[in-house]
Amino acid sequence: MRVVSGIQPTGNLHLGNYLGAIRQWVAMQDTMEAGDECLFFLADLHALTQPVVPAELAANTIEMAATLLACGIDPERSVLFNQARVPAHSELAWLLGGTARVGWLNRMTQWKDKAGKNREGQSIGLFTYPVLQAADVLVYQATHVPVGDDQKQHLELARDIAVKFNQDFGLELFTAPEPFVSAAAPRIMSLRDGTAKMSKSDPSDASRINLIDGDDAIAQKLRRARTDAEPLPETIEGLAYRAEARNLVTIRAALAGTTPQAVLDEVAGQGFGTFKPALADLAIAVLAPIRDELARRMADRDAVAAVLAKGAERARTLAAPTLLAAQRAVGLQV
Ligand code: TYM
């Protein structure tokens, strides 16, 4: 098993990233068997597809790495690095650019959402972003790619690119990776709008819980989270038209490591006046130790940078054979 996944180092990690992805990374690392390999990276090249402040990108990369360490990524067992330090990602992305089709990229919902009506004004990078993402996983022959639901389409594209490249060049070079969206890794929605995903780019900080939030901020954001006036139902079906209520039940289930139905079995009939404080207590119990560990890690940024440097060295070694094989396949190596 080769597990590969990435996250953009754009500001703080939030609860959606944690419950939707990072916790699965840690679980996969912790259950890895001899011969398996886990690679996790900061997608700093992907961050360039939006306007960046250079000093912030560098600082965010270290902070995000420290956050991953605080969440339980163990550099003795997983390879942790930043994408820019492994040139094979960009080099393979260029080769795959000959395989991916414009029509495929045009169908990407993230592209459509981010570009909106102003497609002509977007960076080329934002459009070809999924090709780099395909290279990220194909260069390591990833078998499993743990991601949140919103990244599934990009991973399906990576499979299409792998299959077409293999077909076009008549070889079995790339492994078609599986997007691994665990049932325990739900899509977490904004606390202000149950139909929008919790996101770093939401202008309202009240819409998300950041992993650096203090206990009071966590409690306050959950207390003020948008809900409705109905008591909680007995079954999931009862949440069908209650996006905000469903989101809070989903968050509670994910934090408690149980299912939304099991949460409802416990809380059916309760109003949010009772439900929210209990949810806040649970969120604080899970998140406070991570926040404290993050503060400890951030006190020694050089140590975090050293972890990334060592990870990149190992990643370069792991990426080299596939890049070379791809160069040979297309005729670049004589
Ligand atoms: P990014 O940085 O937006 O998010 C990192 C991971 O967090 C998940 N996620 C969520 N899950 C549940 N609910 C949410 N509200 C939520 N918000 C984010 C994402 O699904 C993701 O798993 N393009 C990727 C980074 C990337 C990558 C890769 C991932 C680059 N190369 C190769 C996997 C493999 C991204 O921008 O994720």
Side-chain angles (χ1 to χ4, degrees):
M1 207 161 93
R2 256 298 155 88
V3 179
V4 178
S5 199
I7 182 165
Q8 288 197 61
T10 40
N12 301 319
L13 207 76
H14 57 71
L15 192 63
N17 301 130
Y18 179 63
L19 296 177
I22 313 306
R23 234 178 28 164
Q24 272 52 56
W25 297 9
V26 175
M28 290 172 102
Q29 163 197 277
D30 290 350
T31 53
M32 180 166 87
E33 290 175 9
D36 293 347
E37 197 96 52
C38 287
L39 295 105
F40 301 117
F41 63 90
L42 295 320
D44 48 4
L45 295 174
H46 275 109
L48 297 179
T49 61
Q50 299 281 356
V52 285
V53 180
E56 277 178 18
L57 178 57
N60 286 343
T61 301
I62 292 292
E63 179 164 349
M64 189 67 89
T67 312
L68 297 180
L69 295 169
C71 288
I73 298 298
D74 172 3
E76 295 300 320
R77 286 181 289 158
S78 294
V79 184
L80 180 65
F81 61 100
N82 62 311
Q83 195 187 25
R85 293 280 74 81
V86 186
H89 290 236
S90 326
E91 293 177 51
L92 183 62
W94 186 258
L95 302 197
L96 299 181
T99 301
R101 306 286 94 186
V102 171
W104 299 357
L105 295 178
N106 264 330
R107 282 194 286 277
M108 293 295 111
T109 50
Q110 184 174 297
W111 157 250
K112 290 195 260 188
D113 289 350
K114 289 201 173 163
K117 290 203 164 47
N118 181 23
R119 289 193 177 194
E120 300 288 311
Q122 299 303 321
S123 70
I124 296 284
L126 189 65
F127 185 64
T128 59
Y129 175 120
V131 181
L132 177 59
Q133 184 157 347
D136 293 338
V137 297
L138 298 182
V139 82
Y140 300 108
Q141 306 285 357
T143 56
H144 295 73
V145 185
V147 284
D149 186 61
D150 61 323
Q151 292 298 321
K152 240 172 105 175
Q153 196 189 28
H154 286 160
L155 267 305
E156 277 152 14
L157 182 92
R159 289 179 68 87
D160 290 345
I161 293 176
V163 169
K164 181 166 161 51
F165 187 99
N166 288 347
Q167 267 170 6
D168 286 355
F169 296 100
L171 33 74
E172 278 305 311
L173 173 56
F174 292 123
T175 312
E178 284 293 336
F180 182 81
V181 182
S182 152
R187 182 172 210 155
I188 304 296
M189 311 310 280
S190 155
L191 299 179
R192 309 300 311 163
D193 172 1
T195 63
K197 75 170 182 173
M198 185 177 284
S199 160
K200 288 174 252 201
S201 50
D202 192 316
S204 164
D205 192 57
S207 70
R208 64 185 158 261
I209 293 179
N210 304 301
L211 294 199
I212 53 163
D213 284 346
D215 293 352
D216 291 347
I218 296 173
Q220 196 184 59
K221 286 177 181 178
L222 287 172
R223 210 167 44 238
R224 292 190 185 159
R226 209 170 128 190
T227 40
D228 52 44
E230 300 292 313
L232 285 148
E234 282 175 11
T235 61
I236 303 290
E237 293 74 47
L239 292 171
Y241 300 100
R242 300 173 65 188
E244 282 83 15
R246 188 173 60 228
N247 188 37
L248 293 191
V249 170
T250 303
I251 291 175
R252 174 145 160 187
L255 286 169
T258 179
T259 62
Q261 185 56 56
V263 170
L264 290 179
D265 291 345
E266 217 181 298
V267 303
Q270 273 182 19
F272 286 99
T274 314
F275 181 86
K276 283 177 169 177
L279 176 60
D281 288 346
L282 176 61
I284 290 166
V286 173
L287 300 179
I290 296 176
R291 183 185 64 225
D292 296 346
E293 177 62 15
L294 172 59
R296 207 180 63 73
R297 298 272 182 179
M298 284 302 285
D300 190 355
R301 286 166 198 245
D302 290 348
V304 178
V307 166
L308 292 182
K310 194 161 161 238
E313 204 180 308
R314 170 95 181 117
R316 285 193 292 268
T317 307
L318 290 171
T322 300
L323 178 64
L324 184 63
Q327 289 170 333
R328 287 212 170 105
V330 301
L332 286 176
Q333 288 278 342
V334 287

